Amino acid sequence: MTGYSSKTLKHAKQLRRNMTPQERTLWTKLQNRQLGGAKFRKQQPIGPYIVDFVCQEHKLIIEADGSQHADNPKDAQRDKWLQDRDYTVLRFWNNDIRENLDGVLFTILDAFDQNPSPTSPKQ
């Protein structure tokens, strides 16, 4: 995480400590390579943004969103910036994480197939 201001790093650390209940639920399934063997980091700075979860090996970002994100133009701008850097951004509503966690995890696993790791053996 070099190159980030101390303010950004402090904010990311604060977000890690104060995850929402839905972020915490999702993190229990993503941490320690539990999902598809992929390594995720939580509340990670990428450029000018801090993303909820990122798997660098698959260039995959997962966002857990509340209603404040509905049709938010700043989120669209943020997603475009990240996509321009070859990241795939998946956004899940908090109620999806709460009520359909298996479906959320399946969607993430499916994204691994769409964005294979460059270090994965070819099949």
Side-chain angles (χ1 to χ4, degrees):
M1 286 194 294
T2 61
Y4 293 102
S5 72
S6 61
K7 181 179 176 181
T8 297
L9 295 174
K10 184 177 179 180
H11 185 56
K13 188 174 184 178
Q14 180 183 24
L15 289 171
R16 282 185 211 112
R17 278 194 313 266
N18 299 310
M19 289 192 299
T20 67
Q22 292 75 25
E23 289 169 342
R24 196 171 311 285
T25 295
L26 194 50
W27 181 241
T28 65
K29 303 298 183 181
L30 299 177
Q31 66 185 349
N32 301 322
R33 297 185 185 269
Q34 293 180 79
L35 189 65
K39 179 173 180 56
F40 279 89
R41 293 185 182 275
K42 62 182 176 180
Q43 304 301 343
Q44 187 72 32
I46 298 178
Y49 303 106
I50 298 173
V51 301
D52 288 343
F53 306 103
V54 62
C55 174
Q56 290 290 358
E57 112 187 68
H58 291 279
K59 300 283 286 193
L60 181 64
I61 292 171
I62 310 297
E63 293 291 331
D65 290 340
S67 60
Q68 75 275 20
H69 292 276
D71 299 319
N72 186 327
K74 288 183 180 179
D75 284 341
Q77 178 183 3
R78 178 180 192 266
D79 288 355
K80 181 174 180 349
W81 188 93
L82 293 163
Q83 290 163 351
D84 286 347
R85 282 139 187 91
D86 297 324
Y87 285 96
T88 297
V89 180
L90 296 179
R91 290 184 172 276
F92 297 101
W93 294 110
N94 287 338
N95 64 325
D96 289 333
I97 295 167
R98 216 176 18 254
E99 299 167 13
N100 186 21
L101 183 58
D102 288 341
V104 167
L105 297 174
F106 179 80
T107 301
I108 295 168
L109 283 170
D110 190 48
F112 291 161
D113 292 337
Q114 304 300 316
N115 303 300
S117 165
T119 59
S120 297
K122 304 278 187 224
Q123 295 188 10

